[in-house]
């Protein structure tokens, strides 16, 4: 299939890509139906859109019939709502949700996109990786040409811990240096920029030295993130320095982010409060109350693993489309 430059592509030119998208949506639903998942729908307009430090949200106003108003947001993920459902239902669920992240636009980013999220009670991180691998093998061809590289999906996906990745590609012990930006910079032989924190340097090294090398010849699960990047994941009981979290890379693109879910509401509140302080330092207008309904539901959630996968990026990978707009019906 000849791929035209994005600016030259009409809706008619893109129709083969969009038909492939539609078939992949059908296949995704069939995959989860066959595994006993229930498809759910959660609100898009919410009082708390998420707690990510660096994401910007779309704000709107809810008008009540009595003439009063409340601030609401378009969610950045259905995560909080879906975990409330897991806490109440104790069954596996999935959703193909529209999500919004303001200020994001690039070849692989769009302010409005589709997120495939699923949560499975009693699943650990390893079994979730197994299931994610099976899903990609069901939706994608056995091999894909991505640039000059052939991505092979027939072989077991690589499973690489963050500690191993930093040793291999950066030459630094990311766990030994956690929290010490100067020590990490010294081991990595990198110049520490003015005001750069350990976390800032961690992500710069991940972006510049690790991501270009992983998920090229076969997809890679990058697992066991430092505990500072735990987000909504629980810490590894065998090594509290790391969180039970992975990201999936394929064809040079980050496709998914997954956790063994934290169910300790007190620890989650502590993390939210820390994230909120950091977020407001970056973007003072990104302010909202903590999602109390989510925190109240957490202790009732069974041991669960969950994952968020960028569906549009998966379609890009399947079709060879160079830009996300090519696989959106309208943008």
């Amino acid at each position: 299939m000849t791929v035209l430059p994005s600016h030259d592509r009409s809706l008619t030119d893109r129709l083969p890509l969009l038909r492939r998208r539609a078939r992949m949506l059908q296949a995704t639903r069939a995959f989860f139906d066959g595994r006993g998942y229930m498809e759910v729908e959660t609100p898009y307009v919410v009082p708390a859109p998420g707690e990510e430090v660096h994401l910007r949200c779309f704000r709107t106003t809810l008008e009540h019939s009595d003439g009063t108003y409340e601030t609401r947001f378009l969610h950045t993920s259905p995560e909080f709502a879906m975990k409330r459902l897991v806490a109440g239902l104790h069954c596996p669920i999935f959703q193909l949700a529209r999500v919004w992240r303001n200020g994001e636009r690039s070849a692989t980013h769009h302010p409005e996109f589709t997120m495939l999220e699923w949560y499975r009670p009693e699943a650990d991180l390893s079994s979730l990786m197994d299931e994610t691998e099976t899903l990609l093998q069901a939706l994608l061809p056995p091999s894909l040409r991505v640039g000059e590289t052939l991505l092979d999906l027939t072989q077991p996906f690589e499973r690489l811990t963050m500690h191993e990745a930093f040793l291999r590609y950066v030459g630094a012990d990311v766990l030994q240096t956690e929290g010490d930006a100067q020590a990490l910079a010294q081991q990595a032989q990198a110049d520490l920029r003015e005001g750069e924190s350990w976390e800032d340097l961690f992500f710069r090294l991940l972006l510049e030295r690790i991501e270009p090398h992983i998920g090229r010849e076969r997809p890679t699960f990058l697992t066991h993130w430092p505990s500072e990047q735990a987000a909504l994941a629980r810490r590894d009981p065998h090594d509290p320095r790391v969180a039970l979290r992975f990201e999936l890379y394929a064809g040079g693109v980050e496709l998914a982010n997954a956790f063994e879910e934290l169910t300790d509401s007190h620890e989650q509140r502590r993390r939210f409060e820390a994230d909120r302080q950091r977020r407001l330092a970056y973007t003072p207008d990104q302010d909202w109350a903590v999602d109390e309904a989510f925190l109240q539901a957490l202790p009732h959630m069974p041991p669960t693993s969950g994952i968020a996968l960028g569906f549009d990026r998966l379609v890009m990978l399947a079709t060879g489309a160079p830009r996300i707009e090519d696989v959106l019906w309208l943008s």
Side-chain angles (χ1 to χ4, degrees), residues 249-264:
Y249 294 81
V253 175
E254 181 226 320
L255 285 179
N257 186 29
F259 308 136
E260 269 193 41
E261 304 296 347
L262 180 67
T263 57
D264 182 335

Side-chain angles (χ1 to χ4, degrees), residues 148-321:
E148 300 299 317
T149 305
L150 189 66
L151 180 68
D152 184 2
L153 288 99
T154 64
Q155 300 297 316
F157 293 8
E158 181 182 25
R159 300 187 181 191
L160 181 68
T161 69
M162 188 68 78
H163 183 242
E164 292 167 338
F166 264 79
L167 289 176
R168 181 184 302 176
Y169 298 113
V170 180
D173 188 327
V174 72
L175 300 181
Q176 181 191 64
T177 62
E178 186 170 8
D180 187 337
Q182 189 63 53
L184 179 57
Q186 184 175 4
Q187 288 193 18
Q189 298 183 350
D191 292 327
L192 190 63
R193 297 170 180 171
E194 184 177 355
E196 190 171 37
S197 67
W198 181 91
E199 182 182 56
D200 293 335
L201 179 58
F202 166 85
F203 280 110
R204 176 159 67 93
L205 294 171
L206 175 62
L207 177 66
E208 294 178 356
R209 300 197 194 177
I210 296 175
E211 289 187 356
H213 299 288
I214 61 176
R216 296 293 178 171
E217 296 181 354
R218 58 175 173 158
T220 297
F221 293 110
L222 188 58
T223 75
H224 295 81
W225 286 51
S227 59
E228 283 295 312
Q229 279 73 49
L232 284 80
R234 72 185 190 98
R235 287 185 171 88
D236 187 340
H238 304 294
D239 186 352
R241 298 178 303 168
V242 299
L244 295 172
R245 171 184 179 181
F246 73 73
E247 289 194 357
L248 172 63
Y249 294 81
V253 175
E254 181 226 320
L255 285 179
N257 186 29
F259 308 136
E260 269 193 41
E261 304 296 347
L262 180 67
T263 57
D264 182 335
S265 59
H266 298 292
E267 170 63 15
Q268 191 63 76
R269 183 185 296 276
R270 185 194 67 77
R271 294 184 193 178
F272 279 173
E273 289 172 351
D275 287 343
R276 183 175 186 274
Q277 291 178 4
R278 292 166 57 218
R279 185 177 69 246
L280 292 177
Y282 283 109
T283 49
D285 64 316
Q286 297 292 287
D287 189 12
W288 48 81
V290 170
D291 191 331
E292 295 292 344
F294 166 69
L295 290 175
Q296 290 171 15
L298 268 189
H300 304 286
M301 190 167 71
T304 299
S305 288
I307 181 169
L309 185 149
F311 186 79
D312 311 287
R313 292 184 180 183
L314 192 63
V315 178
M316 289 176 64
L317 191 60
T319 60

Side-chain angles (χ1 to χ4, degrees), residues 49 52-59 73-76 100-104 111 279 282-286 288:
E52 295 90 343
V53 173
H54 298 289
L55 296 186
R56 293 187 57 80
C57 304
F58 286 88
R59 186 186 304 262
F73 303 88
L74 295 175
H75 69 176
T76 59
W100 290 264
R101 298 179 180 184
N102 209 352
E104 295 194 3
R279 185 177 69 246
Y282 283 109
T283 49
D285 64 316
Q286 297 292 287
W288 48 81

Side-chain angles (χ1 to χ4, degrees), residues 128-157:
L128 185 62
M129 284 189 273
D130 291 341
E131 187 167 59
T132 305
E133 186 170 330
T134 303
L135 173 67
L136 262 64
Q137 290 170 336
L139 296 180
L140 300 175
S143 63
L144 291 164
R145 177 66 63 180
V146 182
E148 300 299 317
T149 305
L150 189 66
L151 180 68
D152 184 2
L153 288 99
T154 64
Q155 300 297 316
F157 293 8

Side-chain angles (χ1 to χ4, degrees), residues 39-57:
E39 184 172 7
V40 299
E41 297 173 285
T42 57
Y44 289 172
V45 179
V46 295
E51 292 294 342
E52 295 90 343
V53 173
H54 298 289
L55 296 186
R56 293 187 57 80
C57 304

